[in-house]
Amino acid sequence: SELCHATNAKTEHVVAWVYEGILTPHGNSPDSWRFSGNALQRTKKALRLSRDLEINTSGVAMVLDLLDEISRLNNSHS
């Protein structure tokens, strides 16, 4: 609920993103989930992709994976 509050994301979106592998919480159930610091930025990106570009959950996962790969490639060439 803290992540939802901080990002204005709906609970059902966060749950879907966890099950899709977009977010990785600590804990066994939605009531006990705790997220790391980078989950905040990742949730904001996922929210923008799903809301602003109307990308579905699977598409959000793919786009975020591609953005992560681009970031890794850029960092390896620096």
Side-chain angles (χ1 to χ4, degrees):
S1 65
E2 292 175 11
L3 184 64
C4 292
H5 180 68
T7 61
N8 292 322
K10 294 182 180 178
T11 303
E12 57 266 20
H13 286 138
V14 172
V15 171
W17 294 334
V18 168
Y19 289 118
E20 191 65 37
I22 295 169
L23 299 172
T24 307
H26 301 283
N28 297 323
S29 68
D31 291 336
S32 65
W33 284 347
R34 298 291 175 258
F35 295 91
S36 65
N38 71 340
L40 182 65
Q41 293 295 51
R42 196 159 178 85
T43 301
K44 287 180 179 181
K45 286 180 187 177
L47 187 59
R48 282 194 306 272
L49 290 167
S50 66
R51 182 184 56 213
D52 299 346
L53 300 178
E54 299 180 7
I55 298 175
N56 67 19
T57 302
S58 298
V60 169
M62 184 174 58
V63 170
L64 289 176
D65 286 345
L66 290 171
L67 289 172
D68 289 344
E69 184 64 23
I70 290 168
S71 179
R72 277 191 293 275
L73 291 171
N74 284 336
N75 289 336
S76 70
H77 289 101
S78 298

